[in-house]
């Protein structure tokens, strides 16, 4: 049986590949559970210092597997969207709070929960075929997998309303202009290697500081200046006690290139 999620480790970089190319990497239960549980393991895996998200074949992910969902509806489930609480919410929370950098290699279509997943990454790299589609309203649903939180932060409230309500595709160049993509490569074949190269660069950096930066920004986005200052003080107390901070400071004074160990 083909694994729904491929896990590849290269040094300190873990690449997670959604592996249902025959279904445009749509999320069935097996894929959702594999992604949710693998992210939980990576939270405390100190050998992993950066994560790459990718899709097999020519697509990133078409979102929820509607064929499987149709069966749920036809079987008369009293909680047809229970997967949001059981699968999508934990996936979103674990990705957003993962204390290490996440880079999404968004090749081809990213729709619905697939787009939401990409938006949870810290950095998104795409190519000419990349497109995003907030497809939820097309099937009578609101946003999930964190899109109601990520989209306004990426594109602003008004544009988020437009993308979610009109459910029109956003092509690569427009996605880059809006901030849905961080970098746009000239060739689709460059997308995954570029994402892995950037992840390797981040994996060689101050992992604790990166995790603290993610927490700071999350708090500052929704809070007051006082909240942000408190978060900054807490983050600096944590980072200031790391071996990486001490070694990098000594290296700076000695005019040497620092070597970060991630702790």
């Amino acid at each position: 049986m083909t694994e729904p999620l491929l896990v590849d480790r290269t040094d300190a970089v873990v690449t997670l590949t959604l592996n249902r190319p025959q279904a445009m990497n749509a999320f069935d239960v097996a894929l959702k559970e594999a992604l949710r549980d693998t992210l939980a393991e990576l939270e405390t895996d100190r050998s992993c210092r950066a994560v790459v998200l990718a899709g097999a074949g020519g697509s990133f992910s078409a979102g929820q597997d509607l064929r499987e969902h149709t069966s749920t509806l036809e079987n008369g489930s009293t909680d047809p969207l229970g997967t949001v609480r059981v699968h999508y919410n934990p996936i979103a929370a674990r990705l957003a709070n993962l204390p290490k950098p996440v880079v999404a290699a968004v090749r081809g279509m990213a729709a619905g929960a697939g787009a939401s997943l990409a938006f949870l990454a810290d950095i998104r790299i795409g190519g000419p075929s990349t497109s995003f589609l907030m497809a939820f309203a097309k099937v009578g649903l609101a946003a999930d997998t964190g899109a109601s939180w990520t989209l306004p932060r990426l594109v602003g409230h008004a544009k988020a309303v437009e993308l979610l309500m009109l459910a029109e595709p956003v092509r690569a160049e427009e996605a880059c202009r809006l901030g849905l993509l961080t970098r746009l490569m000239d060739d689709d074949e460059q997308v995954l290697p570029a994402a892995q190269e950037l992840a390797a660069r981040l994996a060689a950096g101050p992992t604790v500081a990166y995790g603290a930066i993610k927490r700071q920004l999350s708090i500052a986005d929704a809070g007051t200046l006082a909240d942000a200052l408190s978060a900054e003080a807490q983050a600096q107390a944590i980072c200031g006690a790391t071996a990486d901070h001490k070694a990098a400071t000594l290296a700076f004074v000695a005019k040497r290139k620092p070597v970060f160990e991630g702790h």
Side-chain angles (χ1 to χ4, degrees), residues 14-59:
V14 176
T15 299
L16 304 179
T17 303
L18 311 176
N19 189 38
R20 301 188 68 227
Q22 76 285 358
M24 295 180 66
N25 302 314
F27 290 104
D28 63 357
V29 170
L31 177 54
K32 287 181 283 192
E33 289 183 345
L35 182 58
R36 178 195 63 192
D37 297 346
T38 301
L39 288 172
E41 293 170 3
L42 293 179
E43 284 180 7
T44 56
D45 183 351
R46 290 184 63 177
S47 69
C48 168
R49 293 174 61 187
V51 173
V52 174
L53 294 175
S59 299

Side-chain angles (χ1 to χ4, degrees), residues 73-162:
L73 294 173
E74 290 178 341
N75 289 335
S77 171
T78 58
D79 189 17
L81 269 299
T83 186
V84 172
R85 290 189 302 276
V86 175
H87 302 115
Y88 289 124
N89 281 359
I91 288 170
R94 284 168 180 163
L95 259 183
N97 296 318
L98 200 67
K100 52 203 78 179
V102 179
V103 182
V106 190
R107 178 174 174 172
M109 174 60 76
S116 300
L117 185 75
F119 298 154
L120 288 160
D122 301 303
I123 295 173
R124 292 161 300 283
I125 297 178
S129 73
T130 300
S131 64
F132 295 98
L133 177 63
M134 303 313 296
F136 301 102
K138 286 183 174 292
V139 290
L141 293 175
D144 64 35
T145 319
S148 65
W149 186 82
T150 55
L151 259 184
R153 286 161 174 76
L154 291 172
V155 302
H157 180 89
K159 193 66 178 181
V161 170
E162 178 187 335

